Amino acid sequence: MAISTQPTEGRWSSRWLFVLAAAGSAVGLGNIWKFPYIAGENGGGAFVLIYLVCVAFVGAPIMISEVLLGRKGRASPINVMRSLARQAGASARWSFVGWMGVLAGILILSYYAVIAGWALNYVWLTASGTFNAASAQVATSTFDQLQQDPVQMVAWHSLFILITIWIVARGVSRGLETAIRWFMPLLFVLLLVLLGYSASSGGFAQGWAFMFDFNWDVVGPETWLIAMGQAFFTLSLGMGTMMAYGAYVPDDSNIGSTVLTIVALDTFVAVAAGLAIFPLVFVNGLEVGQGPGLMFVTLPLAFGQLPMGAVFGTVFFVLVSFAAITSAISLTEPAIAFVVEEYNAQRSRVAISLGVFCWLLGLGTVFSFNIWADAKPLFGLNFFELVDQLSQNIMLPLGGLLIALFAVWVLPQNIVREQLEVRSDGVMLLWRIVGGIVAPLGVAAVFVYTLLPLFTG
Ligand code: PFF
């Protein structure tokens, strides 16, 4: 089959819709589940500040690179990289970045759907009053029981994949835009409601201090690296998602200001999620640094102790589920866009096949929490940990590194000037320094750091 570099026909109906879609991709479990617990484990304010630096100096330039490549190439990431590399007189092997992104999307979706399935389950659990005045023991054992029960986990995992694929199959304008138009505004409203709730809970000052009081003593080199990895995952960078979405951006949208809006929205949600969660944790005298259970054990427990906790707890898990769905949709886009344009395939069929594949792969993650918990085939990691490490800590940083290097050092810079509407030489110099040197070096540091322990034990 000949390589199709036909420009894609789809367009976001406005710049604002692209902002919502990209923010929908960025805002997800990474912001609401992961960010607060990582911040909790890494000293709060110290981590938050470093995270913000990483978002600004590594995340933003890489996102700009992805969107500009996508809009210039107007195709799926694999074909964008191939055609732009040719245009720049470089090797078509740059399309490797696109292939790796497709694979990373499949791997991430397979386990993302399992964790998001827990959130769906928690909508039901909180709404039905499971945590009303519950003891810490009840909250812990509810979470443990879910993890120990493969049948339940498979059921929620399946439901999440079904919802995602149903939306994706309906196509960019009908499915994606409709979902995003509803989900994103609702998500912000729900978050504001929760912030108000936690602000009136009595622990707000303590929560605020934990998030923003900077304490150098707890900062080590590792804090930087964890923050960098988190900035990367949360902004959906390194696997071509933003490139795929960038392919639908109208010509008259300003990429720089659009990306800054997306980055700001994503950061706002992460910080707001922290500010919504920590006061509730403090007011109940609970532990901030307890890890992944922060959202599934501590939080339901905290809600259960508060007036109207079941209502607000349910609202919270609905919010998490919405956020996860819009991110999951975006994880499929690089693969689906490629198969559709390359083989002229029907979008719904491709979506269903991809869904079945990710669902099957996700079973490995489900079983990693129960029947395969002790199976550690490689590097002492179970199936879930392997897929997670490989995609999040290796493929995304490598993809991001290559994308930034390509956009700054391979792509003719007149294309960058034209795409970013830059006239000043000073701004171009800044772009080269931040995008071509600072960001790649930052990512390379994370990459090496996360790879080394795998080989040195
Ligand atoms: N940014 C999403 C989150 O924070 O949950 C996760 C994600 C979505 C990562 C899409 C990568 C991606 F392409």
Side-chain angles (χ1 to χ4, degrees):
M1 172 112 199
I3 298 162
S4 149
T5 45
Q6 288 289 314
T8 87
E9 296 293 326
R11 292 283 183 279
W12 301 110
S13 49
S14 69
R15 165 181 177 266
W16 187 231
L17 250 151
F18 170 64
V19 170
L20 285 184
S25 165
V27 173
L29 295 172
N31 305 59
I32 307 175
W33 168 61
K34 217 163 183 194
F35 175 79
Y37 93 69
I38 297 186
E41 284 178 333
N42 291 282
F47 174 84
V48 174
L49 184 71
I50 293 173
Y51 164 82
L52 294 178
V53 171
C54 295
V55 163
F57 290 98
V58 179
I62 292 180
M63 196 186 287
I64 290 178
S65 308
E66 286 208 26
V67 177
L68 88 84
L69 293 175
R71 187 169 72 175
K72 179 67 193 169
R74 290 250 186 254
S76 68
I78 294 175
N79 282 331
V80 164
M81 293 305 289
R82 185 153 41 198
S83 68
L84 293 183
R86 285 218 179 107
Q87 217 171 312
S91 162
R93 290 211 192 101
W94 277 99
S95 64
F96 165 77
V97 176
W99 286 105
M100 191 171 62
V102 165
L103 187 60
I106 291 171
L107 293 178
I108 295 176
L109 181 59
S110 79
Y111 70 79
Y112 203 82
V114 176
I115 315 268
W118 296 348
L120 285 179
N121 181 206
Y122 268 64
V123 172
W124 166 248
L125 287 174
T126 350
S128 59
T130 310
F131 303 106
N132 288 351
S135 64
Q137 214 248 324
V138 169
T140 313
S141 68
T142 306
F143 189 47
D144 285 348
Q145 265 169 23
L146 172 64
Q147 289 178 307
Q148 294 314 314
D149 184 349
V151 177
Q152 249 210 86
M153 265 172 79
V154 170
W156 292 106
H157 164 59
S158 312
L159 179 63
F160 185 82
I161 292 265
L162 267 177
I163 300 173
T164 305
I165 296 305
W166 181 73
I167 297 171
V168 170
R170 290 171 60 90
V172 170
S173 56
R174 278 196 306 157
L176 270 178
E177 285 201 8
T178 317
I180 288 155
R181 247 182 229 277
W182 286 96
F183 284 176
M184 291 309 289
L186 200 62
L187 194 148
F188 285 102
V189 172
L190 290 183
L191 200 54
L192 289 177
V193 169
L194 275 173
L195 262 182
Y197 178 64
S198 113
S200 60
S201 69
F204 200 72
Q206 223 179 334
W208 181 276
F210 181 71
M211 287 277 292
F212 298 116
D213 279 0
F214 192 80
N215 175 5
W216 269 116
D217 296 346
V218 291
V219 177
E222 199 166 314
T223 321
W224 279 95
L225 299 165
I226 295 172
M228 183 94 69
Q230 171 62 11
F232 221 79
F233 182 76
T234 189
L235 292 172
S236 306
L237 299 176
M239 55 154 281
T241 293
M242 291 298 168
M243 212 186 282
Y245 274 16
Y248 310 129
V249 172
D251 282 323
D252 56 0
S253 304
N254 181 286
I255 293 180
S257 65
T258 305
V259 165
L260 291 185
T261 313
I262 296 161
V263 171
L265 285 175
D266 185 75
T267 308
F268 168 78
V269 173
V271 172
L275 277 181
I277 290 176
F278 289 121
L280 297 179
V281 172
F282 284 117
V283 88
N284 286 284
L286 301 167
E287 179 54 50
V288 284
Q290 64 148 306
L294 186 64
M295 192 174 92
F296 293 106
V297 177
T298 313
L299 209 58
L301 180 64
F303 279 123
Q305 315 306 314
L306 292 160
M308 302 245 299
V311 175
F312 286 100
T314 309
V315 167
F316 178 82
F317 283 105
V318 168
L319 179 145
V320 175
S321 306
F322 280 164
I325 288 169
T326 51
S327 297
I329 291 171
S330 76
L331 281 164
T332 67
E333 195 54 30
I336 292 187
F338 175 71
V339 181
V340 168
E341 91 194 351
E342 191 80 357
Y343 302 102
N344 209 5
Q346 210 180 337
R347 193 178 163 94
S348 54
R349 288 207 185 145
V350 184
I352 293 168
S353 316
L354 188 81
V356 170
F357 191 69
C358 290
W359 180 82
L360 276 173
L361 205 61
L363 295 182
T365 290
V366 169
F367 299 149
S368 301
F369 289 91
N370 34 72
I371 51 182
W372 290 354
D374 297 324
K376 303 199 165 156
L378 270 177
F379 307 112
L381 302 173
N382 67 27
F383 183 89
F384 163 56
E385 289 161 342
L386 269 178
V387 175
D388 178 35
Q389 291 273 332
L390 178 68
S391 55
Q392 196 171 317
N393 293 339
I394 297 174
M395 296 167 106
L396 296 192
L398 184 59
L401 176 72
L402 293 173
I403 287 168
L405 291 175
F406 182 84
V408 177
W409 303 114
V410 178
L411 196 70
Q413 293 304 288
N414 58 342
I415 292 184
V416 175
R417 265 185 197 268
E418 158 210 298
Q419 284 295 322
L420 300 184
E421 301 162 48
V422 175
R423 272 168 287 274
S424 129
D425 288 340
V427 174
M428 282 306 286
L429 184 66
L430 189 70
W431 155 255
R432 284 189 164 241
I433 293 173
V434 178
I437 299 171
V438 177
L441 278 182
V443 178
V446 179
F447 186 48
V448 169
Y449 176 81
T450 47
L451 261 186
L452 275 186
L454 288 181
F455 294 103
T456 55

